[in-house]
Amino acid sequence: MPHAINRALRFAEFGGLEQLSLVTSERPEPGPGQIRVRVAVAGLNPVDWQILASPALAAHFGVQPPTGYGNDFAGVVDAVGAEVTRWRVGDRVFGGARARAAADYFLAAADDPRVLATPSGVTDLVAGVIDIVGRTASAVADRLRLGPDDTVLIGSAAGGVGTVLTQLAVATGARVLGSGSPDSAEVIRSLGAEPVRYGAELVSEVRRAAPSGITAAADLYGVTAATAALELGATPGRVVTIEADDPPVGAVAINGRDARPEALPELLGLVASGRLRIPVEQTFPLADYRVAIERQQQRHTRGKLALVMAEPGR
């Protein structure tokens, strides 16, 4: 592919994947105060295709078609506009670029706080999938404030946010029960948690595993785990949901916007030191975007999925 060509996922109307296309155009040129990022990896998140389908959610995030797709990215600065002093060509970067990330190139303001320097010792593959799950997991962990005296239930512990949050919870010394399907049990154990089966029997499953009850919970998909946690005696206010429009009484809605500014650098510091893993189940070339998104829409991934535009870097 000629370097002057840019491939990007775009949509002009709301709807399903039939509205999403891989469009080819000239590579964008940065203006004053802008940088151009050459993307290596674009992580996928459910909110990406939820924005595609929902005008209300798109408006919430300031997205209006025609527009691009994706958020998480990692890559390198390959051009800078006039008056840019923060970045130099060749700097490795990662972070969030709402409705722009799934492309060979995108432009960003040089002072955009969501464009961050990729630490040494962290691969593009890891940095390119961490923005949303990392900020969300960190915000939930801050809210729960777990410690060695806690027993916490994490719903959907093997998913993207769950694999990060479960490790953060285990590191506090808390006893961690992670709900998931039988097929995800080994993944949950590998994170240091005890698997319990989700579904209609979740309350009885947790009671058997923790007869003394639980003290906190994080529901990372819907409200089943949050409702079960409150029934099991978890402290109101220490039950968190991340996807519920109307959380049950006693639960608190949290998302990535609640994260501290230093959350992502902290998490990648843990990655670089070997104290945190960011599991990536599968990568796909950009041209296979439809297969990748359909896989994610099944909501049974173990960790993250990513689109790879170029060979992931260091």
Side-chain angles (χ1 to χ4, degrees), residues 12-307:
E13 296 182 13
F14 293 109
L17 290 185
E18 73 281 356
Q19 299 295 342
L20 195 60
S21 300
L22 184 58
V23 176
T24 301
S25 63
E26 292 188 4
R27 181 180 60 181
E29 296 298 330
Q34 289 185 316
I35 61 172
R36 184 175 67 215
V37 175
R38 176 169 58 83
V39 181
V41 174
L44 296 175
N45 295 281
V47 71
D48 301 328
W49 45 264
Q50 290 166 355
I51 286 173
L52 170 64
S54 171
L57 186 61
H60 175 75
F61 285 106
V63 174
Q64 180 64 42
T67 188
Y69 187 87
N71 177 82
D72 295 13
F73 77 90
V76 63
V77 175
D78 85 329
V80 299
E83 304 172 6
V84 173
T85 58
R86 179 186 178 192
W87 302 107
R88 294 184 300 177
V89 171
D91 286 345
R92 296 177 64 220
V93 289
F94 80 103
R98 180 72 66 192
R100 288 174 291 155
D104 288 312
Y105 301 91
F106 68 82
L107 300 179
D111 59 357
D112 187 335
R114 293 191 61 194
V115 178
L116 304 170
T118 305
S120 60
V122 177
T123 66
D124 286 344
L125 184 57
V126 168
V129 301
I130 201 172
D131 183 66
I132 287 178
V133 298
R135 288 186 294 108
T136 304
S138 179
V140 172
D142 287 349
R143 174 72 192 201
L144 295 181
R145 300 193 179 200
L146 299 171
D149 295 331
D150 285 304
T151 298
V152 59
L153 171 65
I154 297 179
S156 299
V161 178
T163 52
V164 179
L165 177 62
T166 297
Q167 294 175 80
L168 296 179
V170 168
T172 68
R175 182 185 180 194
V176 183
L177 307 179
S179 79
S181 69
D183 291 342
S184 67
E186 286 306 312
V187 172
I188 293 170
R189 287 192 188 96
S190 76
L191 300 171
E194 303 167 47
V196 292
R197 189 185 306 226
Y198 69 48
E201 303 300 317
L202 180 59
V203 170
S204 58
E205 285 265 322
V206 175
R207 280 197 175 120
R208 281 193 292 270
S212 298
I214 61 174
T215 58
D219 197 329
L220 308 180
Y221 178 50
V223 298
T224 301
T227 302
L230 292 165
E231 182 178 340
L232 290 160
T235 305
R238 296 191 77 204
V239 176
V240 169
T241 69
I242 69 167
E243 286 198 355
D245 293 329
D246 186 19
V249 176
V252 179
I254 295 289
N255 60 45
R257 289 185 173 182
D258 299 308
R260 292 173 288 110
E262 61 270 25
L264 290 178
E266 286 179 358
L267 292 179
L268 287 189
L270 294 175
V271 170
S273 68
R275 289 177 289 169
L276 179 68
R277 292 185 297 115
I278 310 296
V280 179
E281 179 186 85
Q282 193 172 358
T283 64
F284 302 82
L286 180 59
D288 289 347
Y289 69 91
R290 185 179 296 272
V291 176
I293 297 169
E294 287 175 344
R295 168 71 181 121
Q296 189 176 67
Q297 287 176 329
Q298 297 171 10
R299 301 303 292 254
H300 292 298
T301 57
R302 315 288 189 259
K304 294 288 295 180
L305 301 177
L307 300 173

